[in-house]
Amino acid sequence: MEKIRTRAEVAEETTWNLQDLFATDTEWDAELSALPEAAAHVETFKGRLGEGPEQLLACLDALEALQERIVKTASYARLKQSEDSTNPVNIENSAKAGDILSHLSSSLSFVHSEITDLPEGTMERYTEELPGLQPYARSLNRLIKDKKHRLSPETEKVLASLGEVLDSPYRIYLRGKLADMKFEDALDEEDNNRPLSWSFYENNYEMSSDTKLRRSAYTAFSAKLNDYKNTFAEGYATEVKKQVVMSRLRGYDDVADMLLNSQQVSKEMYNNVLDIIQKELAPHMRRLAALKKRELGLDKLMFCDLKAPLDPEFSPAITYEEACKLIQEALAVLGPEYGEIVERAFNDRWVDYADNAGKSTGAFCSSIYGAHSYILISWANNMRGAFTLAHEVGHAGHFMLAGRYQRLTNTRPSLYFIEAPSTMNEMLLADHLLQRSDNPRMRRWVILQLLNTYYHNFVTHLLEGELQRRVYALATKDQPITAQTLSQLKGDILAEFWGPELVIDEGAKLTWMRQPHYYMGLYPYTYAAGLTASTAAAVRIREEGQPAVDRWLEALKSGGSLDPQELMKLAGVDMSGPEPIRSAVAYVGSLVDELERLYS
């Protein structure tokens, strides 16, 4: 019988090796304590950035070096908390780091304020006179462009000092979710009690072929969510209000304009993703849902049935080690440099795949400039996990290459592009699996795995994005955001997308409580944008081979040195219009067509 283990009870080889960052907490603490002194050196440039390009370059170089140390130190604290939020030491160290880093952010805010206060044309003259400033030219130009949205230096300093407070809604959400929520057991088809946790539900029971277990776990899971709904809603409403207030203070037309500006994305590009996919994908997904209901012999189709395996008798388990080998084979098409990164990720303990109490749910990749990437996932011996692991390795490969070829300043691209490299790896894994077998049942199974990828990004995350759009529209009109409001909105969105065949019960309406992405700006819709781009780029790799691979790698190596449109064009995809989105949706439709034929 399953057991929810403590962090101390999991095998070391299933965890990541954070000693690559700091050998001990004591060493980390010493570096954290040393950061204010390093920041004081940067502050010696205060009031002097207008003296000439040499002063500006010296300041920016010192700031970049400090930021590398800050990222490493902050990442260590965040990763420790992510591996076990029940450990009070991890929570205390995270809070300690947050306090110090907020102070540093406040003391360093003068750099951007002084740059934007320089007389018009000064920055252009500086970068022309001193070639050493060229690596910073893109970020400097963006600063100047956004000058009208900056507040006074004093106000910017105060806001920076409040960083820890302003970020508290997300931390409160994580505390409630990972440290405090405890669930009643679920029952399987043989009436055995099965322990329930957040990760057990999302990684195992939600995809179980045992309908009684799947629905029992859903009922118990939803009941506990319901207990916390008002607290979680208040936290999220605070996050939304913060963004709305900030957009008004900075003089944006609305909050979406502010959040999209940081992504270098137009309203049209944003709305295209949300509108086109919801309208054109819904009929295909309804067909898939109807097929699932029929083939599984379900009395009704509930929200908790959407991830049930369509062919439960053909769902081969896969160990973590087998998945690593499979992913390496699938990604070999990207060449030796990329392959070396993947090999290191699996062999050098970059991945934490243990399942323990207090561990963050879902999966993520955290890449530390000057060190390496870290991947968090909870392994459940299923192929969905292999696709998720390939996805996170996509983030690792992207940022390791960007960090190798770009300065820290130009490493991170727009959120609009951020999910393209990760979803590309899922496409390549699916292609590899299809090429390995001509067995019709295997092909059917691989298509289902691929459709799971589109479900995750074109449905789950996209509908999160639609909820965000509606929530911000209400908040902009100063309407209160409550648990009732959020559940009503979520229920409406699900009903509009899935139609009358899906039972939208109270548990389905509480889905807004399950994702952390709402606390990360307009992040959810970018999964669909990234998958749209990777779908088109994967087609080019299939058709063109090496030239398309070379273009793709060039885009990855460019990091944040280009805007998202330019990055995607470099990879051979033009996202300025709706065509790539419609093509990706049509491709999903073709997968459903083939699946229907295979089941006919």
Side-chain angles (χ1 to χ4, degrees):
M1 182 174 174
E2 298 98 333
K3 177 179 181 291
I4 300 173
R5 294 173 295 177
T6 66
R7 185 68 177 182
E9 292 174 324
V10 300
E12 183 181 71
E13 63 268 19
T14 67
T15 66
W16 48 31
N17 181 16
L18 296 183
Q19 290 181 347
D20 288 350
L21 296 178
F22 295 97
T24 62
D25 282 0
T26 302
E27 182 181 303
W28 167 81
D29 190 63
E31 173 66 351
L32 182 67
S33 300
L35 292 177
E37 182 180 346
H41 169 64
V42 179
E43 288 187 85
T44 62
F45 293 96
K46 191 172 184 178
R48 301 174 57 198
L49 299 189
E51 294 178 4
E54 292 80 9
Q55 285 294 329
L56 177 61
L57 177 59
C59 176
L60 293 177
D61 282 345
L63 179 62
E64 186 180 54
L66 175 60
Q67 286 172 331
E68 183 173 339
R69 294 173 64 183
I70 288 173
V71 167
K72 183 180 177 184
T73 309
S75 296
Y76 181 85
R78 185 166 62 86
L79 294 172
K80 291 286 283 187
Q81 183 177 319
S82 296
E83 71 183 30
D84 185 5
S85 287
T86 65
N87 187 329
V89 174
N90 292 345
I91 294 175
E92 289 168 11
N93 284 343
S94 179
K96 181 178 179 180
D99 289 339
I100 290 178
L101 296 177
S102 288
H103 174 73
L104 293 179
S105 180
S106 176
S107 66
L108 297 171
S109 65
F110 79 90
V111 177
H112 288 175
S113 293
E114 286 194 24
I115 290 172
T116 53
D117 283 345
L118 290 172
E120 187 174 347
T122 301
M123 194 53 58
E124 291 82 354
R125 177 168 58 83
Y126 278 6
T127 52
E128 189 174 316
E129 291 177 4
L130 190 59
L133 281 170
Q134 281 304 314
Y136 299 106
R138 177 169 152 73
S139 58
L140 291 172
N141 288 335
R142 284 185 51 76
L143 266 179
I144 300 301
K145 181 182 176 183
D146 293 339
K147 179 178 181 177
K148 63 182 178 180
H149 297 300
R150 287 191 65 82
L151 306 174
S152 70
E154 295 77 14
T155 305
E156 292 290 353
K157 183 173 183 178
V158 169
L159 288 173
S161 69
L162 289 171
E164 183 77 351
V165 176
L166 295 174
D167 289 339
S168 63
Y170 180 42
R171 293 198 310 280
I172 293 169
Y173 168 78
L174 291 178
R175 294 287 190 278
K177 175 180 177 178
L178 302 177
D180 292 343
M181 296 182 82
K182 301 293 184 289
F183 301 88
E184 298 294 326
D185 285 353
L187 286 176
D188 63 20
E189 60 186 355
E190 297 176 354
D191 288 330
N192 296 315
N193 284 336
R194 304 286 287 272
L196 181 63
S197 68
W198 202 294
S199 67
F200 268 25
Y201 179 71
E202 292 192 336
N203 293 331
N204 297 81
Y205 301 152
E206 191 173 27
M207 295 175 281
S208 174
S209 59
D210 180 340
T211 299
K212 182 174 181 179
L213 173 60
R214 192 173 64 248
R215 292 181 175 180
S216 169
Y218 174 71
T219 299
F221 185 74
S222 299
K224 183 55 63 176
L225 291 184
N226 189 64
D227 290 343
Y228 281 74
K229 66 182 179 183
N230 293 306
T231 302
F232 276 42
E234 185 65 25
Y236 180 44
T238 302
E239 172 69 20
V240 170
K241 190 67 175 179
K242 175 188 77 177
Q243 300 290 7
V244 171
V245 170
M246 291 300 297
S247 68
R248 290 171 178 169
L249 286 174
R250 296 193 179 281
Y252 287 92
D253 291 339
D254 62 36
V255 65
D257 284 319
M258 180 183 75
L259 296 173
L260 291 172
N261 180 60
S262 65
Q263 297 179 11
Q264 306 151 64
V265 168
S266 69
K267 268 268 188 70
E268 182 183 15
M269 292 164 65
Y270 165 67
N271 288 323
N272 275 346
V273 171
L274 289 171
D275 293 338
I276 294 172
I277 296 179
Q278 284 185 91
K279 179 182 178 181
E280 299 187 12
L281 183 68
H284 301 311
M285 297 311 295
R286 290 179 188 183
R287 285 192 292 131
L288 180 62
L291 177 65
K292 184 165 291 191
K293 181 184 177 184
R294 186 191 77 206
E295 290 297 318
L296 297 182
L298 298 174
D299 55 334
K300 56 186 175 181
L301 187 67
M302 298 179 62
F303 181 77
C304 62
D305 296 323
L306 289 173
K307 292 187 177 181
L310 191 50
D311 189 359
E313 295 179 0
F314 189 81
S315 184
I318 184 168
T319 66
Y320 174 76
E321 292 74 18
E322 289 168 339
C324 291
K325 183 175 184 295
L326 184 66
I327 291 168
Q328 284 182 279
E329 293 171 355
L331 302 184
V333 67
L334 296 180
E337 185 176 20
Y338 194 98
E340 179 263 338
I341 293 170
V342 178
E343 183 178 5
R344 287 185 60 202
F346 294 152
N347 293 341
D348 295 350
R349 286 179 56 204
W350 293 10
V351 184
D352 192 299
Y353 62 97
D355 193 350
N356 57 264
K359 183 175 177 177
S360 287
T361 62
F364 69 74
C365 175
S366 177
S367 296
I368 296 97
Y369 190 89
H372 61 72
S373 301
Y374 283 95
I375 293 169
L376 178 140
I377 186 174
S378 294
W379 195 254
N381 287 326
N382 58 50
M383 185 55 76
R384 188 66 235 152
F387 275 79
T388 302
L389 182 58
H391 178 105
E392 299 306 334
V393 167
H395 286 307
H398 181 197
F399 282 105
M400 291 299 290
L401 286 176
R404 190 173 293 176
Y405 289 92
Q406 302 293 333
R407 296 272 292 264
L408 173 60
T409 302
N410 291 323
T411 298
R412 190 171 186 82
S414 160
L415 274 179
Y416 191 77
F417 183 79
I418 213 85
E419 294 298 335
S422 51
T423 52
M424 167 62 86
N425 281 12
E426 295 189 64
M427 300 293 101
L428 295 176
L429 177 57
D431 284 349
H432 179 66
L433 287 167
L434 288 171
Q435 290 166 8
R436 291 204 323 171
S437 174
D438 55 5
N439 181 323
R441 199 174 191 189
M442 172 62 80
R443 181 171 184 82
R444 189 172 70 182
W445 180 76
V446 174
I447 289 171
L448 285 167
Q449 302 308 313
L450 196 49
L451 282 169
N452 283 338
T453 291
Y454 283 99
Y455 177 91
H456 189 66
N457 296 285
F458 272 12
V459 180
T460 298
H461 289 316
L462 188 85
L463 298 187
E464 290 172 10
E466 178 59 28
L467 179 69
Q468 278 191 309
R469 183 163 66 170
R470 298 187 189 189
V471 166
Y472 279 126
L474 291 177
T476 299
K477 298 175 183 176
D478 295 317
Q479 296 188 29
I481 306 301
T482 65
Q484 182 177 357
T485 303
L486 292 166
S487 292
Q488 182 64 51
L489 287 174
K490 190 63 182 181
D492 291 346
I493 290 166
L494 289 171
E496 290 164 14
F497 186 84
W498 289 105
E501 282 299 306
L502 184 69
V503 177
I504 308 296
D505 60 11
E506 293 305 309
K509 295 176 184 178
L510 291 173
T511 310
W512 61 266
M513 297 178 64
R514 291 174 55 180
Q515 295 290 347
H517 302 100
Y518 300 119
Y519 299 86
M520 303 174 186
L522 292 180
Y523 186 19
Y525 90 99
T526 66
Y527 281 86
L531 182 54
T532 295
S534 60
T535 298
V539 169
R540 284 164 175 73
I541 288 176
R542 289 186 210 113
E543 293 176 349
E544 302 174 31
Q546 195 60 46
V549 170
D550 291 341
R551 289 198 303 271
W552 182 250
L553 292 174
E554 189 63 29
L556 301 188
K557 293 173 184 178
S558 296
S561 64
L562 301 171
D563 69 31
Q565 282 276 51
E566 291 173 318
L567 282 173
M568 289 180 173
K569 283 182 180 178
L570 190 60
V573 185
D574 184 359
M575 292 288 288
S576 60
E579 291 78 14
I581 304 172
R582 291 205 161 98
S583 295
V585 171
Y587 175 63
V588 178
S590 73
L591 292 176
V592 178
D593 291 342
E594 183 166 2
L595 204 58
E596 287 178 327
R597 286 195 298 271
L598 289 168
Y599 275 97
S600 63

